[in-house]
Amino acid sequence: MTAHLPARPHRRPHTVGGGCEPAGRRPRHPRAACAGGPGHDPRALASRFAHQLVEVLTGARPSGQLMRHTSLDGYGQLASLVRIGALRRGGAADRPRLGPVHDRSPSPDAVEACVRVDLGRRHHMVAFRLEQRGPAGQWQCTAVEAR
């Protein structure tokens, strides 16, 4: 004898404007966060990118995660900094501490920033340039330096 399970009613997710996204939910990795637009704050973008960049340079994050956020030249510079170990940790317990991110905007579609990184007894400086590129206006890192 086979057990008969009650049929589950077919529920259609609520959508906004007839789209396929359920109401009230945002995509997991919205591209809108990388694109410039009304209300976009380049300072906040520089601060977020500085944290991610330091995580890559210290080995806490794989460099491939920043690939779509960097130009070809920028990624080449980043990869070489990772390869030479520009921000080596003194020990496993050394966690990077970032100072304030200093930024300036030489033009409306570019931001240049630098941040001091403390790793144990060592202090490093990381500088980078972000530019708005492409038809969607996505921000990309075009240059990276670390000392």
Side-chain angles (χ1 to χ4, degrees):
M1 184 171 221
T2 310
H4 185 30
L5 298 174
R8 289 179 56 188
H10 176 69
R11 292 187 350 192
R12 189 170 174 220
H14 298 277
T15 58
V16 177
C20 60
E21 283 296 319
R25 291 189 59 189
R26 287 183 257 152
R28 187 170 178 199
H29 299 290
R31 291 215 181 259
C34 299
H40 177 63
D41 183 14
R43 297 188 104 159
L45 177 69
S47 181
R48 277 194 321 267
F49 191 79
H51 283 87
Q52 294 172 354
L53 188 59
V54 169
E55 288 176 353
V56 168
L57 292 171
T58 57
R61 173 190 292 254
S63 62
Q65 288 187 1
L66 291 184
M67 187 179 286
R68 74 179 190 162
H69 300 291
T70 56
S71 67
L72 187 58
D73 290 339
Y75 189 76
Q77 292 170 0
L78 175 61
S80 70
L81 289 171
V82 169
R83 199 170 27 256
I84 64 171
L87 267 67
R88 289 192 186 110
R89 293 183 186 193
D94 288 340
R95 298 190 99 155
R97 290 182 309 160
L98 278 70
V101 177
H102 301 280
D103 61 85
R104 72 183 266 286
S105 187
S107 68
D109 59 347
V111 175
E112 295 174 344
C114 68
V115 63
R116 178 179 161 165
V117 181
D118 297 331
L119 278 171
R121 293 183 167 182
R122 300 197 53 134
H123 309 288
H124 302 274
M125 289 300 292
V126 176
F128 57 93
R129 178 180 172 95
L130 301 173
E131 293 181 12
Q132 236 177 349
R133 294 191 162 185
Q138 182 174 347
W139 288 88
Q140 287 190 324
C141 178
T142 58
V144 182
E145 285 188 34
R147 297 188 195 273

